[in-house]
Amino acid sequence: MAETAQKITAGSELPPLELRVRRADLVRYAGASLDFNPIHWNDRVADEVGLPGVIAHGMYTMAIAGRLVTDWLGDPGRLVEYTARFIRPVIVPNDADGALVELSGKVRDVREDGTARVDITARFDGKAVLGKAIAIIRV
């Protein structure tokens, strides 16, 4: 449901979102982003560089976390700014289930300039994967 029907206030929580990341998603993202690094699709290469398995692209993880906000707003054009740090990878197994990423968000403050700050939490396997994930939106 788009937030436009309600007033955005500090402390408002966004509806949580759970998304599955599968290897096919990584292949599609690689094609769109032109990031064909084999750590995002090849178990042997991921193992050789010391990773626990194939990992999702950091920008893909950031993008799906941003979807939490744009789905809530109902208008992606209201997303003014979005930043995050990559603090832990999302390991994507080669199976039908993939990796579950759990997303939540909360309006931290509403500003006099007609914008608001939303703090986003993205978790995989119970641990945060993005740090300082902040969206600035038009109210």
Side-chain angles (χ1 to χ4, degrees):
M1 176 178 138
E3 182 63 20
T4 54
Q6 298 175 338
K7 183 164 173 58
I8 296 174
T9 58
S12 296
E13 292 190 19
L14 284 63
L17 180 63
E18 293 184 345
L19 296 172
R20 293 234 169 239
V21 179
R22 295 177 180 86
R23 294 278 176 100
D25 299 318
L26 302 183
V27 171
R28 284 190 288 275
Y29 184 80
S33 68
L34 302 179
D35 181 352
F36 296 105
N37 187 324
I39 64 172
H40 302 302
W41 55 270
N42 186 303
D43 288 296
R44 180 185 50 78
V45 173
D47 183 58
E48 286 174 359
V49 299
L51 293 169
V54 164
I55 62 170
H57 303 75
M59 292 300 291
Y60 180 77
T61 303
M62 187 176 170
I64 64 173
R67 183 173 152 191
L68 172 79
V69 176
T70 58
D71 283 0
W72 174 65
L73 290 171
D75 176 5
R78 290 175 59 195
L79 178 62
V80 176
E81 182 180 326
Y82 177 35
T83 60
R85 288 182 33 221
F86 309 121
I87 60 174
R88 186 172 287 108
V90 174
I91 296 122
V92 182
N94 192 16
D95 62 20
D97 291 335
L100 178 65
V101 178
E102 300 169 294
L103 304 162
S104 60
K106 188 174 191 175
V107 177
R108 178 168 178 164
D109 59 36
V110 178
R111 302 166 178 175
E112 290 183 21
D113 67 357
T115 64
R117 173 181 165 164
V118 178
D119 293 340
I120 303 166
T121 301
R123 294 187 177 281
F124 163 70
D125 205 21
K127 298 175 185 162
V129 294
L130 296 177
K132 296 184 181 180
I134 299 167
I136 306 300
I137 62 167
R138 253 193 276 19
V139 178

PDB file of all heavy atoms in Angstrom, residues 76-89:
ATOM      1  N   PRO A  76       8.339   5.631  -7.205  1.00  0.00           N
ATOM      2  CA  PRO A  76       9.794   5.670  -7.053  1.00  0.00           C
ATOM      3  C   PRO A  76      10.387   7.055  -7.272  1.00  0.00           C
ATOM      4  O   PRO A  76      11.487   7.335  -6.808  1.00  0.00           O
ATOM      5  CB  PRO A  76      10.304   4.674  -8.088  1.00  0.00           C
ATOM      6  CG  PRO A  76       9.167   4.312  -8.941  1.00  0.00           C
ATOM      7  CD  PRO A  76       7.907   4.732  -8.263  1.00  0.00           C
ATOM      8  N   GLY A  77       9.660   7.945  -7.927  1.00  0.00           N
ATOM      9  CA  GLY A  77      10.131   9.298  -8.148  1.00  0.00           C
ATOM     10  C   GLY A  77      10.239  10.113  -6.872  1.00  0.00           C
ATOM     11  O   GLY A  77      10.875  11.168  -6.864  1.00  0.00           O
ATOM     12  N   ARG A  78       9.636   9.616  -5.802  1.00  0.00           N
ATOM     13  CA  ARG A  78       9.714  10.332  -4.516  1.00  0.00           C
ATOM     14  C   ARG A  78      10.975   9.991  -3.733  1.00  0.00           C
ATOM     15  O   ARG A  78      11.240  10.591  -2.694  1.00  0.00           O
ATOM     16  CB  ARG A  78       8.472  10.027  -3.678  1.00  0.00           C
ATOM     17  CG  ARG A  78       7.225  10.690  -4.282  1.00  0.00           C
ATOM     18  CD  ARG A  78       5.964  10.321  -3.567  1.00  0.00           C
ATOM     19  NE  ARG A  78       6.008  10.687  -2.151  1.00  0.00           N
ATOM     20  CZ  ARG A  78       5.146  10.203  -1.241  1.00  0.00           C
ATOM     21  NH1 ARG A  78       4.191   9.366  -1.603  1.00  0.00           N
ATOM     22  NH2 ARG A  78       5.232  10.568   0.013  1.00  0.00           N
ATOM     23  N   LEU A  79      11.739   9.031  -4.220  1.00  0.00           N
ATOM     24  CA  LEU A  79      13.024   8.707  -3.600  1.00  0.00           C
ATOM     25  C   LEU A  79      14.051   9.713  -4.109  1.00  0.00           C
ATOM     26  O   LEU A  79      14.375   9.747  -5.289  1.00  0.00           O
ATOM     27  CB  LEU A  79      13.448   7.278  -3.949  1.00  0.00           C
ATOM     28  CG  LEU A  79      14.788   6.814  -3.399  1.00  0.00           C
ATOM     29  CD1 LEU A  79      14.790   6.823  -1.871  1.00  0.00           C
ATOM     30  CD2 LEU A  79      15.107   5.417  -3.922  1.00  0.00           C
ATOM     31  N   VAL A  80      14.525  10.562  -3.213  1.00  0.00           N
ATOM     32  CA  VAL A  80      15.412  11.662  -3.584  1.00  0.00           C
ATOM     33  C   VAL A  80      16.880  11.247  -3.518  1.00  0.00           C
ATOM     34  O   VAL A  80      17.690  11.605  -4.361  1.00  0.00           O
ATOM     35  CB  VAL A  80      15.173  12.876  -2.652  1.00  0.00           C
ATOM     36  CG1 VAL A  80      16.146  14.006  -2.932  1.00  0.00           C
ATOM     37  CG2 VAL A  80      13.735  13.343  -2.748  1.00  0.00           C
ATOM     38  N   GLU A  81      17.220  10.474  -2.493  1.00  0.00           N
ATOM     39  CA  GLU A  81      18.614  10.095  -2.254  1.00  0.00           C
ATOM     40  C   GLU A  81      18.613   8.764  -1.514  1.00  0.00           C
ATOM     41  O   GLU A  81      17.710   8.491  -0.713  1.00  0.00           O
ATOM     42  CB  GLU A  81      19.273  11.177  -1.399  1.00  0.00           C
ATOM     43  CG  GLU A  81      20.717  10.968  -1.088  1.00  0.00           C
ATOM     44  CD  GLU A  81      21.273  12.102  -0.221  1.00  0.00           C
ATOM     45  OE1 GLU A  81      20.827  13.255  -0.380  1.00  0.00           O
ATOM     46  OE2 GLU A  81      22.127  11.803   0.621  1.00  0.00           O
ATOM     47  N   TYR A  82      19.638   7.954  -1.768  1.00  0.00           N
ATOM     48  CA  TYR A  82      19.718   6.647  -1.128  1.00  0.00           C
ATOM     49  C   TYR A  82      21.187   6.255  -1.011  1.00  0.00           C
ATOM     50  O   TYR A  82      21.906   6.253  -2.009  1.00  0.00           O
ATOM     51  CB  TYR A  82      18.930   5.626  -1.942  1.00  0.00           C
ATOM     52  CG  TYR A  82      18.953   4.201  -1.464  1.00  0.00           C
ATOM     53  CD1 TYR A  82      18.979   3.883  -0.110  1.00  0.00           C
ATOM     54  CD2 TYR A  82      18.925   3.165  -2.371  1.00  0.00           C
ATOM     55  CE1 TYR A  82      18.984   2.569   0.311  1.00  0.00           C
ATOM     56  CE2 TYR A  82      18.915   1.841  -1.962  1.00  0.00           C
ATOM     57  CZ  TYR A  82      18.950   1.553  -0.617  1.00  0.00           C
ATOM     58  OH  TYR A  82      18.958   0.251  -0.195  1.00  0.00           O
ATOM     59  N   THR A  83      21.625   5.962   0.199  1.00  0.00           N
ATOM     60  CA  THR A  83      23.006   5.549   0.432  1.00  0.00           C
ATOM     61  C   THR A  83      23.035   4.338   1.343  1.00  0.00           C
ATOM     62  O   THR A  83      22.105   4.119   2.136  1.00  0.00           O
ATOM     63  CB  THR A  83      23.836   6.676   1.082  1.00  0.00           C
ATOM     64  OG1 THR A  83      23.235   7.024   2.339  1.00  0.00           O
ATOM     65  CG2 THR A  83      23.904   7.901   0.203  1.00  0.00           C
ATOM     66  N   ALA A  84      24.100   3.564   1.237  1.00  0.00           N
ATOM     67  CA  ALA A  84      24.298   2.413   2.119  1.00  0.00           C
ATOM     68  C   ALA A  84      25.749   1.977   2.040  1.00  0.00           C
ATOM     69  O   ALA A  84      26.447   2.266   1.067  1.00  0.00           O
ATOM     70  CB  ALA A  84      23.380   1.258   1.722  1.00  0.00           C
ATOM     71  N   ARG A  85      26.173   1.279   3.067  1.00  0.00           N
ATOM     72  CA  ARG A  85      27.494   0.640   3.088  1.00  0.00           C
ATOM     73  C   ARG A  85      27.279  -0.866   3.021  1.00  0.00           C
ATOM     74  O   ARG A  85      26.334  -1.381   3.618  1.00  0.00           O
ATOM     75  CB  ARG A  85      28.232   0.991   4.381  1.00  0.00           C
ATOM     76  CG  ARG A  85      28.693   2.422   4.425  1.00  0.00           C
ATOM     77  CD  ARG A  85      29.477   2.761   5.699  1.00  0.00           C
ATOM     78  NE  ARG A  85      30.245   1.664   6.200  1.00  0.00           N
ATOM     79  CZ  ARG A  85      30.357   1.345   7.491  1.00  0.00           C
ATOM     80  NH1 ARG A  85      29.757   2.066   8.410  1.00  0.00           N
ATOM     81  NH2 ARG A  85      31.081   0.323   7.866  1.00  0.00           N
ATOM     82  N   PHE A  86      28.167  -1.551   2.345  1.00  0.00           N
ATOM     83  CA  PHE A  86      28.101  -3.014   2.277  1.00  0.00           C
ATOM     84  C   PHE A  86      28.938  -3.569   3.419  1.00  0.00           C
ATOM     85  O   PHE A  86      30.153  -3.375   3.454  1.00  0.00           O
ATOM     86  CB  PHE A  86      28.624  -3.514   0.931  1.00  0.00           C
ATOM     87  CG  PHE A  86      27.997  -2.825  -0.242  1.00  0.00           C
ATOM     88  CD1 PHE A  86      28.771  -2.132  -1.152  1.00  0.00           C
ATOM     89  CD2 PHE A  86      26.629  -2.851  -0.428  1.00  0.00           C
ATOM     90  CE1 PHE A  86      28.195  -1.488  -2.238  1.00  0.00           C
ATOM     91  CE2 PHE A  86      26.033  -2.200  -1.507  1.00  0.00           C
ATOM     92  CZ  PHE A  86      26.826  -1.525  -2.411  1.00  0.00           C
ATOM     93  N   ILE A  87      28.294  -4.246   4.370  1.00  0.00           N
ATOM     94  CA  ILE A  87      29.031  -4.722   5.539  1.00  0.00           C
ATOM     95  C   ILE A  87      29.136  -6.246   5.626  1.00  0.00           C
ATOM     96  O   ILE A  87      29.984  -6.759   6.343  1.00  0.00           O
ATOM     97  CB  ILE A  87      28.444  -4.154   6.852  1.00  0.00           C
ATOM     98  CG1 ILE A  87      26.987  -4.557   7.032  1.00  0.00           C
ATOM     99  CG2 ILE A  87      28.608  -2.646   6.890  1.00  0.00           C
ATOM    100  CD1 ILE A  87      26.400  -4.149   8.383  1.00  0.00           C
ATOM    101  N   ARG A  88      28.298  -6.952   4.885  1.00  0.00           N
ATOM    102  CA  ARG A  88      28.326  -8.414   4.913  1.00  0.00           C
ATOM    103  C   ARG A  88      27.663  -8.905   3.629  1.00  0.00           C
ATOM    104  O   ARG A  88      26.654  -8.346   3.209  1.00  0.00           O
ATOM    105  CB  ARG A  88      27.564  -8.921   6.142  1.00  0.00           C
ATOM    106  CG  ARG A  88      27.640 -10.393   6.373  1.00  0.00           C
ATOM    107  CD  ARG A  88      27.015 -10.804   7.712  1.00  0.00           C
ATOM    108  NE  ARG A  88      27.871 -10.407   8.818  1.00  0.00           N
ATOM    109  CZ  ARG A  88      27.635  -9.421   9.681  1.00  0.00           C
ATOM    110  NH1 ARG A  88      26.542  -8.706   9.585  1.00  0.00           N
ATOM    111  NH2 ARG A  88      28.471  -9.130  10.640  1.00  0.00           N
ATOM    112  N   PRO A  89      28.216  -9.946   3.019  1.00  0.00           N
ATOM    113  CA  PRO A  89      27.615 -10.425   1.768  1.00  0.00           C
ATOM    114  C   PRO A  89      26.379 -11.291   1.997  1.00  0.00           C
ATOM    115  O   PRO A  89      26.199 -11.886   3.064  1.00  0.00           O
ATOM    116  CB  PRO A  89      28.736 -11.247   1.133  1.00  0.00           C
ATOM    117  CG  PRO A  89      29.522 -11.754   2.290  1.00  0.00           C
ATOM    118  CD  PRO A  89      29.455 -10.665   3.340  1.00  0.00           C
TER     119      PRO A  89
END
